């Protein structure tokens, strides 16, 4: 006030405040002041917790608060910036240049793009749910549009992208994209954006030039529930210091106009002018000394919703996303995960030959892994379960299936979620429609790897080693490459099939193949060597996990069937299903469970080693020991490998139909079949007629095999008790006598599998004449019958079903066989016990299925391809 005496120090302070306010007026930018208002300048900091305090930085960069100094003299009131800064600019998310991630949510996609909005949503909405997400900040769509408006750059870009020729000519597309990117990189940031970037970087890093950040793109049309822009723009890791940060944000801006991004938006009818880009700047997790990967809250191949699919590899996660590594893979079953059981129902050890780490000069680099890293899991089962729980929480929070990137800090061992977006391919498959491809002839196998999808495709081979060769690629050819990345997408959409040397089921080639609906075989290791340009090949992904490339243009068929609204029938339809890799697909067919799961399929195809060889490992010849060690990598010992692999196979099958019953037939190899396993010739006898020799229950109680049988029982107990899949029932095959029935039950009980405990049911496979004649007596030892019509037919008619000479006489509909079947069904019904059939007959002959239904059988277990035709036939007859 006029006339008031004022000390010189206060005069200086007031002068300083006036200068600060003047500077604010001239250089006002956007800094958080309250929930919806942002104010800042390069040197003036307004603290969000108190609207009426102001501070400014002196040259030594310490914060000086004039109001505190003045208040200490007791004469002047606390200074309000509004008293001297009438030109202060108030902004919201619509006009901010940078926003902290914790201030964002999933409603902010239009302001900061899908990635930043999703991270903000998880930070703010899932922090209390034990879903840790590293913090950071994001530039905005407003900042990006203001940047492009400089010098009319946006108008020039739009004119270039309006030219239809660039979408028909790959060379013109590449030239246009390169020109636009160079123009963007040659245009400097506006001062307001630089100031905002610097302020947020200092806030998060504390000015530490050594703090590592990941700089990723976040497009306003990205990560939507009906579109996936994964990999379309660039990602930069291990970005340190404000100078490198500015450079990488600039490069992210330019990446909205990579060739693949331009092509992708055009193909999906996104208006280039309406898609803006933000840069997500996120604190790095130290996974270069740990591991990282991708997970999906459903099965990516079949859309099965009750599992979480987790992939993992050493080092930074870009190797998994980009397909440069074959990662470890895990399936986690959601219902038993919720019950806190051991819910990891499937595991595959990846080769993990390389990993991405921090480079000494900054950025990242790919280095080879050592033998120890390749031979062990990159993450533990407990960590897999913890990740799966996070994926479920994220899925529940968003209300749709998600695709999640995660990282494990190698220093602390802590797990983090670094990205989440909607899964947009498998989750959109039409429910109730069955599309099936079937190969009708075979050719020479040229290469094999992991199958992506369930289709078959054919065409001429075109091997590409560089994106500069894209102009050579013709519509319908089979694209063969070491690996692909998003730069290849303009030609991938024209491919009849895709084959790569490297990559797993979540690599770039796999993701794009699923999205385009074309078959792909990834991780072959040798496709570029084994396949030759212009050769005709057929790519088969319709026979399980393994995809195969065959020589020649082979014949195949495609069938589409409607599985919805099937009429009611008075019999249960179950599945004959032994291959775990098809379980999640077939488990979605109409069914009342699995009536026959043959354990020998897992032993033969997944394990491939005789159990006695594993029990006597130390006594084996060195060459066999080495081959066993190679197959059992990742497991503590060979016996554990055998037990766990059986458990995983059965658990996967059980999960596919849970909580419906699955009847697992314990091993029924004949001696010649056991002999074909690794180490088998050392332990198996030579038999003249193994079909009726040393097999089934007779093996289980024999001293030479009992210890092997007990390994199977260990696996069954693990599945039911530890893994919580109590829908698993057991079936005993080839029970010749009542004494065998009694003895096998004693062995089960000795190994913790007593009938009735924890709801356990034990069925007998009724397949011998003695089972028919003594049906009622056998039911004293079992909970029911599952009829094996194949063996029952051959033993009733006295013929060898493997002999072509008498094959014409083999018929389950023979009156003698029918009479035996009718007796078995009647005996079970009179005792109130279960009776079903799992032989081939009902799948092959609808009239035979009709007869069985008329006899009052409880269930027909059919091959998956017979389910719909047989169901409809029975409904018509009914």
């Amino acid at each position: 006030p006029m006339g008031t005496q004022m000390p010189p120090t206060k005069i200086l302070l007031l002068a300083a405040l006036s200068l600060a306010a003047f500077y604010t007026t001239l250089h006002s930018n956007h800094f958080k002041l309250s929930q919806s208002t942002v104010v800042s300048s390069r040197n003036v900091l307004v603290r969000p917790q108190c609207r009426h305090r102001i501070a400014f930085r002196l040259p030594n960069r310490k914060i000086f608060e004039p109001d505190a100094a003045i208040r200490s003299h007791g004469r002047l009131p606390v200074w309000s910036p509004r008293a001297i800064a009438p030109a202060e600019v108030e902004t919201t998310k619509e006009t901010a240049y940078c926003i902290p991630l914790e201030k964002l949510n999933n409603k902010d996609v239009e302001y900061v793009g899908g990635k930043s909005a999703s991270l903000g949503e998880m930070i703010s909405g899932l922090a209390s749910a034990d879903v840790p997400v590293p913090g950071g900040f994001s530039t905005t769509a407003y900042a990006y549009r203001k940047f492009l408006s400089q010098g009319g750059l946006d108008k020039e870009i739009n004119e270039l992208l309006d030219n239809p020729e660039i979408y028909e000519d790959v060379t013109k597309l590449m030239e246009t994209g390169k020109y636009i990117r160079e123009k963007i990189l040659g245009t400097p940031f506006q001062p307001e954006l630089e100031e905002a970037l610097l302020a947020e970087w200092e806030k998060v890093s504390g000015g530490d030039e050594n703090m590592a950040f990941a700089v990723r793109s976040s497009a306003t049309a990205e990560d939507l529930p009906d579109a996936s822009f994964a990999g379309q723009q660039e990602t930069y890791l291990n970005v340190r210091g404000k100078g490198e940060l500015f450079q990488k944000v600039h490069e992210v801006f330019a990446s909205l106009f990579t060739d693949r991004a331009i092509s992708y938006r055009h193909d999906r009818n996104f208006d280039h002018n309406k898609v803006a880009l933000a840069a997500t700047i996120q604190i790095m997790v130290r996974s270069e000394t740990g591991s990282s990967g991708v997970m999906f809250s459903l099965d990516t191949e079949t859309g099965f919703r009750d599992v979480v699919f987790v992939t993992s590899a050493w080092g930074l996660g870009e190797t998994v996303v980009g397909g440069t590594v074959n990662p470890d893979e895990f399936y986690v079953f959601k219902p038993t995960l919720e019950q806190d059981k051991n819910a990891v129902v499937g595991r595959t050890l990846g080769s993990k030959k390389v990993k991405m780490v921090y480079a000494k000069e900054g950025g990242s680099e790919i280095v080879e892994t050592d033998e120890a890293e390749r031979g062990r899991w990159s993450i533990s089962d407990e960590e897999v379960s913890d990740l799966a729980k996070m994926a479920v929480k994220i899925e529940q929070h968003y209300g749709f299936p998600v695709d999640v990137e995660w990282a494990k800090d190698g220093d602390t061992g802590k797990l983090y979620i670094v990205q989440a977006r909607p899964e947009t391919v498998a989750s959109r498959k039409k429910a109730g429609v069955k599309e099936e491809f079937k190969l009708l002839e075979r050719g020479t196998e040229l290469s094999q790897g992991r199958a992506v999808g369930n289709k078959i495709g054919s065409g001429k081979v075109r091997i590409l080693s560089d994106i500069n060769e894209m102009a050579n690629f013709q519509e319908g050819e089979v694209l063969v490459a070491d690996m692909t990345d998003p730069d290849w997408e303009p030609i991938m959409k024209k491919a009849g099939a895709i084959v790569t040397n490297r990559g797993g089921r979540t690599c770039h080639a796999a993701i794009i193949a699923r999205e385009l609906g074309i078959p792909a075989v990834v991780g072959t290791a040798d496709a570029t060597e084994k396949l030759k340009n212009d050769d005709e090949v057929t790519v088969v992904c319709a026979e399980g996990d393994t995809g195969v490339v065959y020589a020649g243009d082979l014949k195949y068929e495609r069938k589409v069937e409607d599985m919805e609204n099937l009429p009611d029938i008075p019999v249960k339809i179950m599945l004959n299903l032994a291959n775990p890799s098809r379980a999640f697909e077939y488990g979605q067919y109409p069914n009342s469970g699995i009536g026959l799961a043959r354990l020998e399929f897992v032993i033969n195809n997944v394990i491939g080693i005789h159990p006695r060889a594993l029990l006597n490992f130390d006594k084996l010849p060195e060459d066999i020991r080495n081959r066993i060690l190679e197959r059992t990598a990742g497991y503590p010992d060979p016996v554990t490998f055998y037990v766990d692999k059986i458990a995983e196979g059965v658990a996967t099958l059980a999960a596919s139909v849970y909580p419906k019953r699955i009847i697992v037939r314990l091993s029924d190899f004949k001696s010649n079949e056991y002999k074909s396993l690794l180490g088998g010739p050392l332990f198996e006898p030579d038999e003249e007629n193994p079909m009726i020799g040393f097999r089934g229950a007779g093996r289980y109680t024999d001293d030479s095999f009992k210890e092997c049988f007990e390994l199977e029982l260990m696996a069954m107990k693990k599945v039911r008790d530890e893994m919580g899949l109590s829908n698993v029932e057991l079936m005993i095959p080839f029970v010749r006598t009542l004494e065998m029935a009694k003895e096998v039950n004693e062995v089960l009980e000795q190994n913790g599998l007593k009938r009735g405990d924890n709801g356990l049911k034990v069925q007998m496979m009724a397949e011998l004449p003695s089972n028919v004649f003594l049906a009622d007596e056998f039911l004293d030892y079992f909970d029911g019958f599952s009829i094996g019509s194949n063996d029952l037919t051959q033993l009733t008619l006295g013929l060898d079903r493997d002999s072509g000479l008498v094959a014409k006489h083999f018929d389950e509909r023979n009156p003698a066989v029918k009479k035996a079947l009718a007796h078995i069904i009647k005996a079970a019904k009179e005792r109130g016990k279960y009776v079903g059939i799992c032989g081939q007959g009902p799948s092959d002959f609808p009239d035979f299925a009709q007869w069985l239904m008329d006899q009052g059988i409880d269930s027909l277990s059919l091959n998956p391809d017979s389910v719909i035709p047989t169901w409809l036939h029975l409904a018509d007859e009914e």
Side-chain angles (χ1 to χ4, degrees), residues 744-764:
V744 78
N745 270 284
E746 290 173 352
V747 174
L748 291 176
E749 189 170 342
Q750 290 165 8
N751 285 272
L753 291 168
K754 182 180 179 181
R755 284 174 58 207
D757 285 359
N758 191 22
L760 175 62
K761 292 185 177 181
V762 181
Q763 315 293 348
M764 187 188 83

Side-chain angles (χ1 to χ4, degrees), residues 94-112:
E94 290 91 337
T95 55
Y97 281 82
C98 289
I99 304 175
L101 291 179
E102 66 269 18
K103 301 299 182 184
L104 298 171
N105 58 55
N106 59 7
K107 296 179 181 178
D108 294 326
V109 174
E110 63 179 304
Y111 307 129
V112 294

Side-chain angles (χ1 to χ4, degrees), residues 627-649:
R627 291 170 66 188
I628 290 176
L629 287 174
E630 185 178 345
R631 290 195 188 188
T632 60
Y635 292 82
D637 57 74
V639 170
T640 301
F641 166 79
Y642 187 83
V643 173
D644 283 0
K645 278 302 176 187
I646 290 178
E648 289 166 18

Side-chain angles (χ1 to χ4, degrees), residues 71 204 242 244 250 257 589 628 661 769 855 858:
R71 190 167 54 248
V204 176
K242 50 185 174 291
E244 189 177 3
H250 213 153
F257 300 99
Y589 286 17
I628 290 176
R661 74 197 310 178
Q855 297 300 307
D858 292 324

